[in-house]
Amino acid sequence: MAAMTDDLLAYLLDDLSEGRRAEVERRIADDPDWQREFNRLRECLATSCCQEQEEEPEDAVAPPTDLVHRTCRLIEKCAYNPQPTGTTVALSEANCPAPRYFGWTLADLTIAVGIGLIVFGLLSPSLLKSREDSRRVVCANNLRSVGTWLTNYADRDPQGHFPKILPGQNAGMFALILAERGGVNRNPLQQSLICPTQSTGEITIRIPSIRELQTGEPLRVAKLVLRLGGNYAYNIGWIDAYGELHPLKLAGRTDVPMLGDAPNPADGFRGGNHTDNGQNFLLKSMEVRFVCNPDDPNIYDNWNLNHDNQHAASRSEDDNVLLRTGYGPLGPVKIPFLPKVD
């Protein structure tokens, strides 16, 4: 039966070869069963084609063009504003508000700012300490550079003296002597006289020639003189009972300071150039010693003031004092000195 139906459908759809088509036509003519099945299949095919050709009713309503858009917006609304069970919601514009966008609220911003401040508070001490440690290392390297030039000068001096500062002269004169008589190039010397902790980059050091100081305009000369030693103080030696100045010698004890951070006159010549109220001091051994609270007599020998509590040359060989630029063997230098290299 199935084979007959298949052959008849293929015959009606004109999907048979010539030989097979002639065989099917013979059976339809001779066999009543084939005739009945043929008539049934032909009626079924005719009915299906008629139904496909029927026109749509005139009163059929086309779906809205924005049906999908409304449906999505309604689903979004119901997701954030659930309706009671059994409630019917129409797909109208009133029930389809614009999509809601959820950004940062004031509370979110407050929490974020608070977390940022906490993180900054935890990290800032470490960052500041790291920056100060770096500056202190640069300062120590600058001191060693200048100390090397001072040592080379004293090594070539017949009496083994470091640059001699005469009464009335500025302690910063040592830099001028190094440039004039020590054979030191001015550019690296000027750069090494700056401590990154004390200087903000606004101060520049320029070491003039002796002739420039002797013939220059007085006010300009005074400014140059007050910056000769940069940010560092220099051990000029000591004065004996007869008023004779004895410069620091290369020979002898090696734990004697020859150069260091210049103390602040406004603070009573105390330390504090670096953290922990400390100063860098360069010893004759070329060791850089970082001293905290260098004015504490219970801990250290004060290298900023002599035994008379003055920022001036000491009166004994065992009293070492480092003088900042603007001070000489007898104390403050109030007028520019007439440069004289002794």
Side-chain angles (χ1 to χ4, degrees):
M1 185 69 177
M4 178 181 66
T5 302
D6 292 341
D7 288 341
L8 290 172
L9 282 174
Y11 175 80
L12 290 171
L13 296 175
D14 197 16
D15 190 29
L16 291 176
S17 63
E18 290 295 332
R20 187 60 182 165
R21 184 177 182 84
E23 176 66 21
V24 171
E25 289 178 349
R26 186 183 62 78
R27 289 195 175 190
I28 294 174
D30 298 339
D31 193 331
D33 293 334
W34 279 70
Q35 292 177 4
R36 284 192 296 274
E37 183 68 13
F38 173 75
N39 292 331
R40 185 184 70 81
L41 292 175
R42 184 170 55 182
E43 290 177 0
C44 288
L45 290 176
T47 302
S48 175
C49 292
C50 291
Q51 289 179 351
E52 290 179 357
Q53 294 176 357
E54 290 182 358
E55 296 182 358
E56 294 182 356
E58 294 183 358
D59 60 347
V61 179
T65 57
D66 61 344
L67 179 61
V68 175
H69 176 65
R70 291 189 182 186
T71 303
C72 294
R73 291 170 62 182
L74 182 61
I75 292 174
E76 181 182 4
K77 176 185 176 183
C78 293
Y80 294 103
N81 300 285
Q83 301 295 325
T85 304
T87 302
T88 302
V89 181
L91 286 174
S92 63
E93 290 295 332
N95 290 322
C96 297
R100 297 174 60 188
Y101 298 98
F102 296 89
W104 284 64
T105 64
L106 180 59
D108 296 332
L109 292 175
T110 302
I111 294 174
V113 172
I115 293 175
L117 291 175
I118 292 174
V119 172
F120 177 77
L122 293 174
L123 295 180
S124 57
S126 299
L127 294 176
L128 292 175
K129 185 178 185 304
S130 176
R131 183 174 63 175
E132 170 55 27
D133 290 345
S134 176
R135 289 177 174 177
R136 198 170 76 187
V137 169
V138 173
C139 174
N141 291 335
N142 288 347
L143 286 172
R144 288 191 183 95
S145 296
V146 181
T148 299
W149 294 320
L150 287 171
T151 301
N152 292 340
Y153 178 92
D155 190 51
R156 293 194 300 265
D157 184 81
Q159 298 178 336
H161 289 161
F162 287 90
K164 185 176 182 179
I165 308 300
L166 301 177
Q169 289 185 344
N170 194 313
M173 181 71 173
F174 78 89
L176 181 61
I177 296 175
L178 285 178
E180 290 288 328
R181 293 184 53 190
V184 180
N185 187 288
R186 276 178 164 78
N187 287 333
L189 177 57
Q190 290 166 168
Q191 295 174 4
S192 298
L193 290 172
I194 297 177
C195 172
T197 300
Q198 298 186 59
S199 176
T200 59
E202 300 174 355
I203 298 178
T204 56
I205 308 300
R206 190 176 74 83
I207 302 174
S209 65
I210 293 179
R211 179 177 177 79
E212 184 179 357
L213 292 182
Q214 290 175 332
T215 60
E217 192 271 328
L219 181 59
R220 183 167 176 271
V221 168
K223 290 182 179 180
L224 291 174
V225 167
L226 292 177
R227 294 180 180 178
L228 272 177
N231 298 126
Y232 297 122
Y234 173 64
N235 187 346
I236 66 172
W238 60 284
I239 299 177
D240 62 20
Y242 302 98
E244 182 179 355
L245 178 68
H246 299 269
L248 184 66
K249 290 185 177 182
L250 182 60
R253 293 171 49 189
T254 60
D255 60 346
V256 174
M258 58 178 174
L259 207 63
D261 285 315
N264 186 1
D267 195 27
F269 298 98
R270 293 183 172 87
N273 300 330
H274 299 279
T275 55
D276 301 323
N277 195 34
Q279 287 177 273
N280 275 328
F281 291 100
L282 176 69
L283 309 183
K284 288 198 303 181
S285 63
M286 298 303 293
E287 171 195 354
V288 175
R289 181 178 298 176
F290 182 70
V291 179
C292 299
N293 299 313
D295 59 332
D296 189 344
N298 296 320
I299 304 177
Y300 305 107
D301 179 17
N302 193 340
W303 290 335
N304 295 326
L305 300 173
N306 61 22
H307 289 170
D308 295 328
N309 208 33
Q310 296 177 341
H311 192 64
S314 62
R315 297 292 176 173
S316 62
E317 188 174 2
D318 61 346
D319 184 14
N320 294 284
V321 181
L322 279 68
L323 302 182
R324 61 174 292 122
T325 300
Y327 289 76
L330 302 179
V333 177
K334 299 187 179 300
I335 58 174
F337 59 83
L338 182 63
K340 176 182 177 182
V341 178
D342 188 17

